[in-house]
Amino acid sequence: MDENRAPLSGFDPEQYARVERAAQVVGKTPEVFVRDAALAAADDPFVRPTHGP
């Protein structure tokens, strides 16, 4: 989101709305929710990269 709380360009508005709702359920901002999910996925041994080395 930018300073005006508008979704960032490149994000599907429907998908972004789903992230916002999920973040509200757990009491986080969408940015913190996504960051925490990404960090958890990075630590998950069952998640394998699909690109790169």
Side-chain angles (χ1 to χ4, degrees):
M1 287 189 179
D2 66 14
E3 294 82 28
N4 298 322
R5 306 283 299 162
L8 296 172
S9 62
F11 285 89
D12 179 316
E14 183 178 319
Q15 291 176 337
Y16 190 83
R18 291 176 62 198
V19 170
E20 283 186 314
R21 288 190 302 271
Q24 288 175 346
V25 168
V26 295
K28 296 180 179 182
T29 66
E31 296 83 5
V32 171
F33 180 80
V34 171
R35 182 203 64 207
D36 290 351
L39 291 172
D43 287 338
D44 190 329
F46 296 103
V47 176
R48 294 186 183 155
T50 57
H51 336 7

